Amino acid sequence: MIKFTNDELQIVKKLEILKNEAGSHSPSIITFRQKLPEVEIKVDACFLSNPYATDLFLEYFDEEILKSGKIRDLLECYPSQNGVIAEILAEFLQINAKNIFIGNGAIEIIQAVIHNFTRRKIMINIPTFSSYYEYVKEGVEVVYNELSKDNDYGLDVDSYIELVKLHRPDTIVLINPNNPNGAYTRIKDVQRILDELSFVDNVIIDESFIHFAYETENYQLVSLAHLVEKYPNLIVLKSMSKDFGIAGIRAGYGIMKESYVKSLLDSGYLWNSNGFAEYFFRLYTQKDFAVKYDKVRIKYIVETLEFIHELKQLPGIKVYPSMANFVLIELMDGIKSTDFVSKLLITYGIYIRTCDDKIGLKGQFIRLASRSKMENDYIIQSLKACIEMNVILDLVNETTG
Ligand SMILES: *Cc1c(COP(=O)(O)O)cnc(C)c1O
């Protein structure tokens, strides 16, 4: 049991309210500071982004937009239309522009795709990113594939294929690496899924964390985006928020068959990006940026691996395998995840996510993001102290009855 003083309990109550107001997502750090000014957040280990990528973006932004005075253009002028931004990406991604749909964040594309193209039945692996079932329209059936705890919530490809054949949904979703646990399915296995399941109308592969995954020793980038021509039912979704550290400007894209892009554009979305997102997309395709970005991507992957390694040494927790920039952690010894999260926040100023609202998880779980090296060291020390304190409290409880 984690103990709180009366003052702390007041804050715990407010935290609970704030979390409830945010629904199935976490309150943003901005909302947090506004509504709970008495809590000082030192490290945001809830939001899943690469801080070095944000630094790199800011370097360019400062030089090219702020110092040059071009910021006025971004504010005063309309950004380019959806199809024009798609053309910028097309060359860089080596994908036909007609297959690219630009979103105001990937979440807009999830909503657009599910509202427009899922007609009957969707199959979703759980635990998952909640928007996939929350945006399902009335009348569409949702089938959950509960990932097995014994398999560390990883995807068992063979039984998955069998299950899809059994249920015959028109849409399936695979987040790779998955959120909230970071489990990764190798490209050859995803391709096997695509080969076996050509009867499914929409195979959504969400690659929002793919820049953190790798299959080779040199951390080479992997992706399925180029396969859209080969598999017309494939829809690859990509948020730029996490791996480029720019959630605030809302940038994402989807790669899908031409008729889908056309159908979405015909029903709206003409100017759904803003000037800052357009600036980002142009930067993303710029050679010098891409080279520098790859360096900070790899630096961050290596540091994240060290972080995960250190987490695994801590007693009282189980760290699940992850190829993303975060880990799912199970709290043992009867610690409640909401208590643990409150304690870390109040005592150490570390903001992490409880997973008690995630369907499909059995036990007490938190999700912890990797941050900068310095922040990660601070997180490790604090977690250690928090766990030890709990152990000591237990001992006291036992001896005092
Ligand atoms: C965060 C997230 C998204 C949405 O990202 P945007 O910020 O809307 O681009 C989509 N899918 C997954 C799996 C995510 O974690």
Side-chain angles (χ1 to χ4, degrees):
M1 269 271 293
I2 289 181
K3 296 265 163 73
F4 295 99
T5 65
N6 280 338
D7 283 352
E8 286 176 342
L9 276 177
Q10 295 297 316
I11 301 178
V12 171
K13 275 216 188 83
K14 286 192 192 173
L15 279 171
E16 214 171 285
I17 294 169
L18 198 60
K19 171 72 184 127
N20 285 340
E21 283 174 353
S24 55
H25 299 277
S26 304
S28 84
I29 208 97
I30 299 171
T31 313
F32 208 105
R33 288 193 180 121
Q34 178 204 330
K35 301 220 169 163
L36 261 181
E38 62 268 47
V39 175
E40 190 209 347
I41 297 182
K42 291 191 189 134
V43 177
D44 179 359
C46 178
F47 181 58
L48 312 166
S49 79
N50 178 352
Y52 304 125
T54 312
D55 292 342
L56 179 65
F57 176 81
L58 276 175
E59 258 173 52
Y60 274 84
F61 190 75
D62 196 37
E63 203 57 44
E64 295 184 349
I65 301 296
L66 294 180
K67 286 200 181 122
S68 70
K70 282 195 190 135
I71 180 90
R72 189 176 176 103
D73 287 348
L74 290 199
L75 290 173
E76 203 168 29
C77 307
Y78 276 90
S80 296
Q81 293 184 5
N82 202 310
V84 176
I85 302 177
E87 275 168 23
I88 302 168
L89 285 189
E91 204 184 308
F92 179 71
L93 297 172
Q94 295 285 301
I95 286 166
N96 193 327
K98 293 200 164 69
N99 294 116
I100 303 177
F101 177 76
I102 307 295
N104 190 274
I107 206 144
E108 185 181 53
I109 314 174
I110 295 175
Q111 186 187 16
V113 165
I114 290 185
H115 275 189
N116 287 282
F117 309 129
T118 299
R119 302 190 192 283
R120 244 182 339 101
K121 197 194 243 191
I122 184 169
M123 194 162 110
I124 296 167
N125 302 321
I126 50 170
T128 189
F129 184 64
S130 59
S131 303
Y132 281 107
Y133 56 85
E134 286 167 352
Y135 289 164
V136 168
K137 276 199 301 200
E138 226 179 277
V140 171
E141 187 187 346
V142 182
V143 183
Y144 292 113
N145 171 36
E146 228 175 283
L147 297 165
S148 148
K149 187 172 183 179
D150 294 337
N151 191 24
D152 287 338
Y153 297 112
L155 186 74
D156 178 335
V157 175
D158 290 318
S159 60
Y160 179 65
I161 290 171
E162 286 315 305
L163 203 68
V164 176
K165 284 182 176 167
L166 183 73
H167 286 286
R168 301 196 83 81
D170 64 10
T171 304
I172 60 175
V173 181
L174 178 63
I175 306 175
N176 198 32
N178 195 21
N179 182 4
N181 56 325
Y184 178 68
T185 306
R186 294 178 76 86
I187 293 293
K188 69 169 175 16
D189 290 324
V190 181
Q191 235 170 317
R192 191 149 61 87
I193 291 172
L194 286 164
D195 285 330
E196 294 271 345
L197 302 178
S198 56
F199 64 89
V200 178
D201 292 343
N202 309 301
V203 178
I204 300 176
I205 311 273
D206 184 327
E207 294 195 335
S208 292
F209 296 94
I210 203 75
H211 279 78
F212 304 122
Y214 53 88
E215 297 193 2
T216 56
E217 274 176 23
N218 58 355
Y219 308 108
Q220 206 179 342
L221 190 62
V222 287
S223 171
L224 284 176
H226 60 282
L227 290 177
V228 168
E229 272 179 26
K230 183 170 173 203
Y231 302 97
N233 58 348
L234 173 62
I235 300 173
V236 177
L237 298 189
K238 175 76 193 148
S239 166
M240 314 311 280
S241 298
K242 322 292 170 53
D243 37 26
F244 287 84
I246 49 141
I249 64 179
R250 316 303 302 125
Y253 59 82
I255 317 266
M256 58 192 94
K257 63 182 163 195
E258 194 179 327
S259 62
Y260 274 12
V261 174
K262 184 167 182 323
S263 146
L264 291 180
L265 290 180
D266 285 350
S267 63
Y269 304 108
L270 185 64
W271 266 305
N272 60 337
S273 285
N274 62 70
F276 295 90
E278 179 177 2
Y279 170 70
F280 167 77
F281 278 127
R282 288 180 184 273
L283 194 60
Y284 172 53
T285 64
Q286 216 168 284
K287 183 122 201 268
D288 54 323
F289 177 83
V291 170
K292 285 185 190 163
Y293 171 73
D294 210 51
K295 289 212 176 94
V296 297
R297 179 180 74 87
I298 292 174
K299 171 186 156 92
Y300 181 59
I301 290 177
V302 171
E303 288 184 9
T304 298
L305 286 172
E306 286 167 12
F307 180 53
I308 294 176
H309 176 75
E310 284 180 42
L311 284 171
K312 283 187 177 156
Q313 317 300 316
L314 297 180
I317 60 172
K318 173 171 174 179
V319 180
Y320 283 73
S322 170
M323 257 227 194
N325 62 332
F326 55 84
V327 276
L328 182 71
I329 292 178
E330 184 173 7
L331 305 172
M332 315 308 249
D333 305 335
I335 305 177
K336 265 183 67 189
S337 68
T338 44
D339 288 351
F340 193 76
V341 167
S342 302
K343 196 77 190 173
L344 264 186
L345 183 65
I346 295 166
T347 312
Y348 303 98
I350 299 173
Y351 180 37
I352 60 175
R353 196 193 196 291
T354 69
C355 288
D356 56 337
D357 59 338
K358 287 276 177 196
I359 51 172
L361 287 174
K362 292 191 177 65
Q364 293 297 315
F365 289 90
I366 55 167
R367 191 193 64 196
L368 180 61
S370 168
R371 302 297 302 164
S372 72
K373 176 95 181 75
M374 227 171 71
E375 289 175 319
N376 285 351
D377 289 345
Y378 177 69
I379 293 171
I380 296 277
Q381 282 170 18
S382 310
L383 277 181
K384 207 178 207 166
C386 204
I387 292 164
E388 274 166 10
M389 191 167 59
N390 183 60
V391 171
I392 290 166
L393 273 178
D394 274 353
L395 287 178
V396 173
N397 286 344
E398 271 169 31
T399 46
T400 55

